[in-house]
Amino acid sequence: MPIRIPDELPAVNVLREENVFVMTSTRASHQDIRPLKVLVLNLMPKKIETENQFLRLLSNSSLQIDIQLLRIDNHESKNTPSEHLNNFYCNFEDIQDQNFDGLIVTGAPLGLVEFDDVAYWPQIAQVIDWAKEHVTSTLFVCWAVQAALNILYGLPKLTLKEKLSGVYTHKILQPQAPLTRGFDDQFLAPHSRHAHFPTDYIREHTDLDILAESDVAGAYLFASHDRRMAFVTGHPEYDATTLAGEYFRDREAGLNPKLPLNYFPQNNPDLHPSATWRSHGHLLFNNWLNYFVYQITPYDLRQMNPTLD
């Protein structure tokens, strides 16, 4: 089944050109089915690009999904037209009394900013606390992982001396876990962050299950026992050229960035990179939707009582 999104959202045409089955709200209204309600808190500056990336992964599922986009920063965006935000995004006040099957909190370019200096830090904390009672399962991605570990577990911000950028090899630690079901023993995934996620540190200071890690990039995938929370420290949603775009942006800004590791063919930025993590990204999101959302969410969302039984 497809994702259900507003008829005029730019992602409709982008995904249809890729032969992805997208159902507009108009058509979905004629089907007698209870879709999963998934809220996406998009913290990335280029919101349309990020929408396309996450909706592409959410669309490759047998479940019908009703997408709601959320914003918590009302400052004027330099990268997204205000008309787009006004037409397709809701504010927290609009949905705070509702329940959702799933919530995705994206990354944000805030790796070198202290939590208290983040303009919308109180709103982030509010949404994460709200999700405990209003969302079946929440998926945190990249910077959102660091934010959630601080808010939920009181862990301090750990920062790498140099930015981690590239495509890294990971190994699964619990192959029978629902979230890693079907994963290869080793798989590739991109990272682009200053945040540091040491596996042993997370294991010692939280009750989370570490499911996959990288010898270089650290803990990659971990989750709560009750499946109510999942954490992904990389960017499985990235397009093939996203890391390239970040590299050239930083180079033009005079930041002298290092080449993303294991990314450009022959380490030559003039050559077009390939996505070597696409199948992993789709499987990860399918597993989250199936085992962490669909299998434990209540049919009647007015009664928020997720259960593994």
Side-chain angles (χ1 to χ4, degrees):
M1 294 298 288
I3 53 172
R4 172 179 168 178
I5 54 182
D7 299 37
E8 298 83 10
L9 192 71
V12 171
N13 291 329
V14 171
L15 298 181
R16 280 180 173 167
E17 290 175 358
E18 299 175 9
N19 202 30
V20 173
F21 188 13
V22 177
M23 178 175 287
T24 61
S25 297
T26 300
R27 179 179 176 185
S29 64
H30 295 88
Q31 290 196 342
D32 185 17
I33 189 172
R34 207 287 252 174
L36 294 178
K37 291 179 59 179
V38 175
L39 186 67
V40 180
L41 175 53
N42 189 352
L43 303 175
M44 294 293 280
K46 295 183 178 180
K47 293 198 175 345
I48 296 177
E49 177 181 298
T50 302
E51 292 161 18
N52 295 340
Q53 292 172 349
F54 279 98
L55 293 181
R56 183 180 293 114
L57 294 181
L58 291 170
S59 68
N60 195 29
S61 167
S62 60
L63 305 168
Q64 186 181 128
I65 305 167
D66 192 351
I67 301 294
Q68 175 64 65
L69 300 172
L70 172 66
R71 64 180 301 202
I72 55 173
D73 181 9
N74 291 321
H75 291 91
E76 183 176 353
S77 174
K78 298 179 181 178
N79 300 283
T80 307
S82 58
E83 181 180 8
H84 180 88
L85 295 172
N86 293 334
N87 287 339
F88 301 114
Y89 281 74
C90 68
N91 295 313
F92 180 68
E93 292 74 20
D94 301 323
I95 54 88
Q96 62 180 345
D97 295 327
Q98 301 179 34
N99 292 336
F100 290 83
D101 299 291
L103 166 65
I104 297 173
V105 186
T106 74
L110 298 169
L112 297 178
V113 181
E114 295 299 325
F115 293 138
D116 290 341
D117 293 330
V118 175
Y120 47 78
W121 183 250
Q123 290 89 337
I124 287 283
Q126 182 183 32
V127 170
I128 292 177
D129 186 63
W130 165 86
K132 297 176 184 177
E133 303 296 331
H134 292 270
V135 178
T136 296
S137 185
T138 301
L139 177 65
F140 300 98
V141 180
C142 200
W143 180 84
V145 173
Q146 193 175 56
L149 289 177
N150 177 263
I151 293 168
L152 297 171
Y153 291 93
L155 298 191
K157 184 184 186 71
L158 300 180
T159 305
L160 295 165
K161 294 181 179 179
E162 293 185 347
K163 181 180 180 179
L164 186 77
S165 178
V167 181
Y168 298 86
T169 299
H170 302 75
K171 58 186 177 182
I172 53 174
L173 302 179
Q174 297 190 33
Q176 302 303 320
L179 203 56
T180 57
R181 194 158 296 168
F183 279 26
D184 292 326
D185 292 338
Q186 293 188 341
F187 61 93
L188 298 174
H191 290 262
S192 178
R193 55 178 165 84
H194 290 90
H196 188 28
F197 299 106
T199 300
D200 290 342
Y201 183 82
I202 294 172
R203 184 178 287 118
E204 292 170 3
H205 292 86
T206 75
D207 56 355
L208 300 170
D209 294 322
I210 310 295
L211 306 178
E213 67 173 352
S214 164
D215 292 339
V216 178
Y220 171 71
L221 183 63
F222 35 102
S224 60
H225 302 307
D226 60 4
R227 307 185 192 177
R228 299 286 307 278
M229 296 182 295
F231 304 80
V232 185
T233 65
H235 283 287
E237 81 282 3
Y238 267 12
D239 297 326
T241 58
T242 304
L243 286 175
E246 294 177 353
Y247 169 76
F248 291 122
R249 175 201 64 198
D250 291 348
R251 193 173 72 173
E252 292 173 4
L255 300 178
N256 193 30
K258 290 186 176 181
L259 282 174
L261 191 68
N262 303 320
Y263 179 60
F264 288 112
Q266 303 173 32
N267 281 329
N268 183 349
D270 294 328
L271 299 180
H272 194 279
S274 299
T276 55
W277 58 89
R278 187 176 293 122
S279 59
H280 158 69
H282 280 288
L283 183 54
L284 170 58
F285 272 69
N286 274 339
N287 284 349
W288 176 69
L289 284 171
N290 183 16
Y291 299 113
F292 277 52
V293 181
Y294 177 71
Q295 297 291 346
I296 70 170
T297 200
Y299 182 82
D300 186 351
L301 274 178
R302 291 174 299 180
Q303 304 296 325
M304 181 50 62
N305 59 339
T307 177
L308 294 177
D309 296 331

